[in-house]
Amino acid sequence: MRRTTTERLFIVKRTQEKDCRGKITVLSPQRGRLVLMAKGLFKPQSKLSGHLEPLTVVDGLIVWSQQPLLSAAVSRQSFLGIKNDLALTVAATELVRRLAEWWPPGQPLPRSWLDLITLLTQWNSHHYSWSQLTLASQIMSWRLAHELGYAPVGHTCIHCGRPLAAAFWSESQGGFFCEACQPEGLVCHLSHHTLVMWEDLVRSEHLELTKLPSSSTILEELTAFFNSWLNFLDLC
């Protein structure tokens, strides 16, 4: 008899295969990123279809085999407030796409799972400006990168090792420099206040959306740094 388990799952995306089957990409707090099949998902009379929409948390019954099968599911969180708002849908979809790309198959990341659900729950019930949505998405991404071990370290200069009062991020060299050691070329400057806030948001035990800065200068510095850091990751 095949082994079956009930798992809490976050639906990332679904695609149609032949014979109306669905291929479902999910995130699990205990099992990381999974790809599951769902028989008859795209048939008009499918009972699963309404539960397996992207941006939904479900309890799913998985039949484990060479190609795991999601045989039943019950919705637990649908995030309708997000799905009914275009800006929120765009922000959430882009964030989840990025997380799913980075999240290793089969690797449990319970802190990042909790961060994701916390963030979406807050977005679902509170109003945020576009800049706040953008920054929250960036912090969530940095926290996952930190949990995976490839977020940059921001408290010392990578050249001289001295503690940083302010930081200069170099995309070409992939690290922070002090003012005396900053390389030639394009760098992103982070003031001392921005650097301290960034480290606190990335390293704290729980994602704290109430701590997001409102200063336009800090938002601009963090966004420029984040975009440069993404470019650096693409080069690696």
Side-chain angles (χ1 to χ4, degrees), residues 29 79 95 99 103 109-123 136-147 201-209:
F79 303 113
L95 171 62
L99 298 183
W103 206 301
L109 295 171
R111 192 190 83 159
S112 292
W113 162 271
L114 182 60
D115 281 351
L116 176 61
I117 302 306
T118 298
L119 183 146
L120 294 180
T121 300
Q122 290 293 313
W123 284 5
S137 176
Q138 293 169 358
I139 295 299
M140 170 75 227
S141 302
W142 269 317
R143 285 172 64 83
L144 174 59
H146 179 67
E147 191 170 9
L201 288 166
V202 170
R203 298 177 185 278
S204 63
E205 184 177 354
H206 302 290
L207 178 64
E208 296 284 354
L209 295 186

Side-chain angles (χ1 to χ4, degrees), residues 61-82:
L61 181 65
I62 301 176
V63 180
W64 295 98
S65 60
Q66 185 175 4
Q67 177 59 71
L69 177 69
L70 185 58
S71 63
V74 177
S75 302
R76 295 305 181 195
Q77 284 182 274
S78 297
F79 303 113
L80 293 179
I82 293 176

